Amino acid sequence: MRKAVVILLAKQFFKKTFSNKGLLILLFIFLSVLTYVTVISWVAFEKKHQVVEHHQDESRKSWDNNPDKHPHRMAHFGSFVFRAQHPLSIFDSGIESYTGNAIFLEAHKQHTANFSEASLSTGLVRFGDLNITMLLQLILPLIIFFLGYASITSEKENGTLKIMHIQGAKVKEILLGKSLGLFLVSALFFIPAFISLWSIVFLEEKDAINSSVAIRCLLITTSYVLFYIILSFITVIVSGKSQNSNKALLSLLSVWLLFFIITPKMAQVVGNLMYANLSKIEFKAAIEDEISKQGDSHNPNDPYFNDLRDSILKANNVTNVKDLPINYSGFVMSKGEEQSAKIYNKQHNKLINTYRKQNSITEGLVLLNPYLAIKNLSMSFSGTDFDTYVNFLSQTEDYRYKQSQYMNDLQMKFISNKATSSEGKINVVDKSYWKSAPKFNYKYISIHKTIKNQLLAICTLIIWFLLSFLFINKFSNRFKII
């Protein structure tokens, strides 16, 4: 294979494509829409970021400014935590519109995330929102198919393909040259999107060069470039195998509908039908039912906690809880919190595993569909995928549990066993201990773990690239040149 011939054919395709004024109009429209959605996404991110920081600060101030109070009353006073969006959500919003961003934390109760954008919007949100990735994942592939569907068939119809072959150009050189030319044309569409992507790094990150966001941007850029190379190969291969331009266009439109519209939607529907998940009410009912079977720490006559009381009295050689060296109520609350947390985590893990089984249908089709691969990679590296959201819920519950147990420890240590109520100004703890409670500090999933989670999607893009390149090199002799 001669590189000079491939490059010459790529230049020829590039110039020929740009001789059509319609392409310039299409490029102008695409870049105008891209600029619009980028600005809108950036403004929306900055606004949400400021709102989250404001409310998180206000929630913490409200917690810190509480007066001297009984620890258990403070535990039920609770606090809010808010999910900070990843800077790259400007590029790919993923499932951000459908997941809640605020959770109320209190003792003995695990609340769900609320205030998702979808819950506050009309039903039109079901159709998806216009963003950068919609242009790159759905619109640009369609443009590539339209630009390249006649790349080979037009040469057949004009008789120039046979002339090029007689003059010494091999079929695989022609196919690779056309693919390279089509990729270069498509680069005019996606390079501005990557410029906006990389601008996020330098404008949002102080140490841009060493930032993990920069590494994520590099992975996103590499993935999309590989994706568009694959699409260019597929377009030229279909054009080469088709008898005429009309059949090539119909074939590519069928590929687009099947890969980009039908398969993803059908996979979601099948997943929901095969693995039905509990509703919000059913989920809470399952937790309450199991807690009632295990024991209620707020019920002084509960059999489980009666046995617990007898065992601790025996261990301390006393006959009355008032003679214990710690506050018995705080001890019971601590054990009750431990028990309810285990039950919640068990039920929550079941629910998450159900969602993972639903998603497994889509993930199982990744090898057959490069669109699903790039979609998963884009969301994961942008910190807007399902795993990132589950990670937030996990960190939130861990923080809630530690905060509740901190209050229980204060009660055991400072509240008298003779106290009969949490009311009044006698059985209280100094307010300085509220400020001593650690702040919620959310950490995103590491890049290493993200790559591990999306290893199948990464391998899919590499396999599709190698197979399409191999197909052109090994089976190009089977292409008809007339």
Side-chain angles (χ1 to χ4, degrees):
M1 183 179 66
R2 294 163 296 178
K3 293 182 181 179
V5 175
V6 174
I7 294 174
L8 180 63
L9 290 169
K11 289 181 179 179
Q12 182 267 339
F13 180 87
F14 189 88
K15 291 179 181 179
K16 182 180 179 181
T17 304
F18 263 88
S19 63
N20 186 349
K21 294 182 179 180
L23 177 62
L24 296 177
I25 297 174
L26 180 62
L27 179 60
F28 174 77
I29 294 173
F30 184 88
L31 295 182
S32 298
V33 176
L34 177 63
T35 302
Y36 171 77
V37 297
T38 301
V39 172
I40 292 299
S41 298
W42 205 306
V43 171
F45 170 79
E46 292 292 344
K47 184 177 179 181
K48 290 178 182 177
H49 184 68
Q50 292 174 4
V51 169
V52 166
E53 284 194 334
H54 170 73
H55 286 292
Q56 190 65 75
D57 289 342
E58 288 298 313
S59 177
R60 184 65 194 192
K61 287 178 182 178
S62 176
W63 172 273
D64 290 343
N65 293 332
N66 268 272
D68 297 347
K69 189 181 292 188
H70 191 285
H72 193 66
R73 289 178 61 82
M74 191 64 183
H76 280 291
F77 176 82
S79 61
F80 278 94
V81 293
F82 297 85
R83 181 165 57 93
Q85 289 183 308
H86 196 283
L88 293 182
S89 63
I90 299 171
F91 176 78
D92 190 340
S93 58
I95 63 171
E96 289 288 298
S97 299
Y98 307 94
T99 53
N101 54 30
I103 301 181
F104 178 64
L105 309 180
E106 64 171 319
H108 313 305
K109 295 181 180 179
Q110 292 85 359
H111 298 281
T112 57
N114 295 306
F115 308 112
S116 67
E117 188 175 334
S119 66
L120 303 175
S121 304
T122 64
L124 292 176
V125 75
R126 293 175 178 269
F127 295 96
D129 53 341
L130 183 62
N131 52 41
I132 299 175
T133 49
M134 176 181 282
L135 294 175
L136 295 181
Q137 294 176 6
L138 290 177
I139 306 302
L140 184 51
L142 189 60
I143 292 174
I144 291 174
F145 288 164
F146 270 106
L147 293 176
Y149 78 93
S151 57
I152 302 297
T153 53
S154 62
E155 303 286 2
K156 288 182 182 180
E157 293 164 353
N158 296 332
T160 53
L161 182 62
K162 186 176 181 180
I163 295 173
M164 285 190 290
H165 187 62
I166 292 174
Q167 290 177 341
K170 297 178 182 179
V171 176
K172 66 180 179 181
E173 292 173 343
I174 296 173
L175 295 175
L176 287 173
K178 296 289 186 179
S179 299
L180 177 59
L182 180 58
F183 172 75
L184 293 176
V185 174
S186 66
L188 298 175
F189 290 83
F190 66 72
I191 285 178
F194 293 147
I195 292 175
S196 65
L197 171 65
W198 280 95
S199 64
I200 297 172
V201 180
F202 293 100
L203 293 178
E204 294 291 338
E205 297 296 311
K206 296 180 180 179
D207 188 8
I209 302 300
N210 299 318
S211 170
S212 63
V213 179
I215 300 175
R216 289 176 177 268
C217 281
L218 180 61
L219 292 169
I220 290 173
T221 304
T222 304
S223 300
Y224 273 97
V225 168
L226 198 57
F227 177 62
Y228 293 130
I229 292 175
I230 292 169
L231 291 181
S232 299
F233 279 149
I234 292 174
T235 305
V236 173
I237 289 172
V238 171
S239 181
K241 297 293 288 184
S242 302
Q243 294 178 355
N244 55 60
S245 298
N246 290 335
K247 289 185 177 180
L249 180 58
L250 286 174
S251 298
L252 288 169
L253 287 177
S254 299
V255 169
W256 185 81
L257 284 172
L258 179 64
F259 278 24
F260 294 80
I261 305 297
I262 298 175
T263 301
K265 296 297 181 183
M266 286 298 296
Q268 292 175 3
V269 172
V270 171
N272 291 334
L273 290 175
M274 290 182 63
Y275 306 103
N277 59 276
L278 297 176
S279 66
K280 189 174 181 179
I281 296 176
E282 291 173 333
F283 177 69
K284 286 187 175 182
I287 294 175
E288 291 174 0
D289 180 62
E290 192 165 349
I291 288 177
S292 64
K293 294 177 181 178
Q294 296 291 332
D296 184 3
S297 59
H298 285 78
N299 181 7
N301 297 316
D302 185 272
Y304 172 83
F305 286 97
N306 279 338
D307 292 340
L308 181 66
R309 179 195 59 199
D310 293 340
S311 63
I312 193 173
L313 289 175
K314 184 177 181 181
N316 286 272
N317 295 319
V318 294
T319 58
N320 195 307
V321 294
K322 293 182 179 181
D323 298 324
L324 290 172
I326 60 172
N327 181 273
Y328 177 69
S329 295
F331 176 76
V332 171
M333 291 299 107
S334 175
K335 291 300 179 181
E337 187 66 57
E338 181 180 339
Q339 183 186 78
S340 62
K342 286 181 179 179
I343 293 172
Y344 172 81
N345 289 331
K346 178 183 175 182
Q347 293 295 332
H348 186 256
N349 289 335
K350 284 184 179 180
L351 184 64
I352 294 300
N353 287 334
T354 301
Y355 287 133
R356 292 193 188 281
K357 288 178 181 178
Q358 292 177 357
N359 294 336
S360 68
I361 304 299
T362 301
E363 293 173 357
L365 294 172
V366 164
L367 281 171
L368 302 176
N369 191 339
Y371 163 67
L372 295 177
I374 192 64
K375 183 179 181 181
N376 290 347
L377 287 173
S378 183
M379 287 194 298
S380 295
F381 292 139
S382 298
T384 57
D385 64 330
F386 179 71
D387 288 326
T388 301
Y389 179 64
V390 171
N391 178 56
F392 166 73
L393 296 179
S394 177
Q395 291 187 40
T396 301
E397 169 56 20
D398 182 62
Y399 176 78
R400 186 207 66 81
Y401 177 76
K402 290 179 179 178
Q403 184 185 71
S404 298
Q405 294 296 50
Y406 175 71
M407 294 296 114
N408 290 327
D409 289 342
L410 291 178
Q411 181 175 346
M412 285 188 284
K413 184 176 181 181
F414 295 110
I415 302 301
S416 171
N417 261 326
K418 297 180 181 179
T420 58
S421 172
S422 61
E423 301 288 344
K425 298 182 179 180
I426 300 176
N427 303 305
V428 297
V429 171
D430 188 83
K431 61 183 180 180
S432 62
Y433 286 98
W434 315 148
K435 293 183 180 181
S436 299
K439 295 182 179 180
F440 179 71
N441 184 24
Y442 174 58
K443 295 181 180 179
Y444 295 104
I445 297 178
S446 66
I447 296 175
H448 178 266
K449 189 173 182 180
T450 301
I451 293 174
K452 184 179 179 180
N453 291 340
Q454 296 300 328
L455 194 58
L456 180 61
I458 294 172
C459 292
T460 295
L461 289 183
I462 296 173
I463 290 171
W464 271 84
F465 169 76
L466 293 176
L467 287 178
S468 55
F469 184 78
L470 182 66
F471 186 86
I472 289 177
N473 274 274
K474 297 297 182 181
F475 300 100
S476 58
N477 57 336
R478 300 183 183 181
F479 283 63
K480 295 181 180 179
I481 59 175
I482 55 174

